[in-house]
Amino acid sequence: MEQTLVLIKPDGVQRGLIGQIITRFERRGLKLCGMKFMQMSRDLASAHYEAHVGKDFYPGLVGYITSGPIVAMVWEGKDAIQIVRTTMGATNAGAAAPGTIRGDLAVEIGRNLVHGSDGPESAAREVSLFFSADELITWSRETDRWIRE
Ligand code: DAT
Ligand code: MG
C-alpha cells in the first residue's frame, strides 16, 4: 500500500490547526500509520528540502520549517500520495482551490501549512528521513470496506 509523508508546518501548529488538518486526511479515508510532534533541526530541513538548495526562497523556507514544532505523519492508502496532494491544494495557498486545506486555511506560498510528498521516490525518501521502520504501525481498519469497494 502506498505511504506518503505529511508535515503540519510550524504555522499550522502555532495557529491551532493540527486537529483540523488531521481531520481532513482522516475523513478523506486515508489511514494514519505514524505520527510524531517534533522540532526539525537544520540538518533534517536541509535533507528534506535538498531539491530546493540554491533557490532564492531556500533560506526563508529552512528558517520557516525550523522555526517551531511540527507534526510529522505517514498516511497510507491506494494512491495516498496523489490524494494527499489534492487534499492539500496548490503550493501557492493564495491560488489554492476552496475546499482544500491551503485554499480554506492559508493565503500565501510561504505559510502554506502543510507538506506532502510529491511522488513515490520522494515519499520513500522522506518517510525514511522522519521515521524508522518500527515507528510505523500496520493495522487493519473496520471501515476500510466502506471507503473502498
Ligand atoms: P509543495 O510544498 O507544494 O510540494 P514545492 O516542493 O515546490 O511545493 O516547494 C516546497 C516549499 O517551498 C513550498 O511548500 C513553499 C516553498 N516554495 C516553493 N516555491 C516557492 C516560491 N516560488 N517562493 C516562495 N516559496 C516557495
Ligand atoms: Mg514538494
Side-chain angles (χ1 to χ4, degrees):
M1 197 55 74
E2 197 166 85
Q3 295 186 335
T4 187
L5 181 82
V6 173
L7 304 178
I8 301 177
K9 296 179 178 180
D11 47 341
V13 174
Q14 294 285 347
R15 292 177 54 199
L17 297 174
I18 295 172
Q20 285 192 48
I21 292 170
I22 290 175
T23 295
R24 301 279 182 129
F25 297 114
E26 275 188 312
R27 74 184 192 192
R28 190 87 200 263
L30 294 170
K31 191 164 76 176
L32 185 65
C33 53
M35 178 159 71
K36 58 175 80 165
F37 185 61
M38 61 183 284
Q39 174 110 21
M40 280 174 75
S41 66
R42 290 190 78 86
D43 281 354
L44 178 57
S46 345
H48 176 66
Y49 281 130
E50 68 176 15
H52 299 297
V53 173
K55 296 183 183 167
D56 59 347
F57 60 83
Y58 179 78
L61 179 62
V62 171
Y64 160 50
I65 204 73
T66 58
S67 65
I70 62 153
V71 179
M73 298 173 283
V74 176
W75 288 88
E76 186 180 275
K78 182 171 180 289
D79 302 324
I81 295 168
Q82 182 60 21
I83 289 167
V84 162
R85 298 282 298 184
T86 59
T87 304
M88 292 194 310
T91 305
N92 181 2
T100 64
I101 293 170
R102 288 162 168 170
D104 287 348
L105 303 172
V107 289
E108 68 171 47
I109 195 166
R111 295 288 184 271
N112 63 5
L113 291 173
V114 276
H115 168 85
S117 308
D118 65 7
E121 280 152 35
S122 59
R125 190 182 75 83
E126 292 170 3
V127 166
S128 67
L129 272 178
F130 285 80
F131 291 89
S132 58
D134 67 355
E135 291 173 325
L136 300 177
I137 312 296
T138 302
W139 57 294
S140 65
R141 191 172 56 180
E142 298 304 320
T143 52
D144 278 349
R145 68 196 177 97
W146 301 107
I147 293 168
R148 292 265 188 201
E149 68 177 32

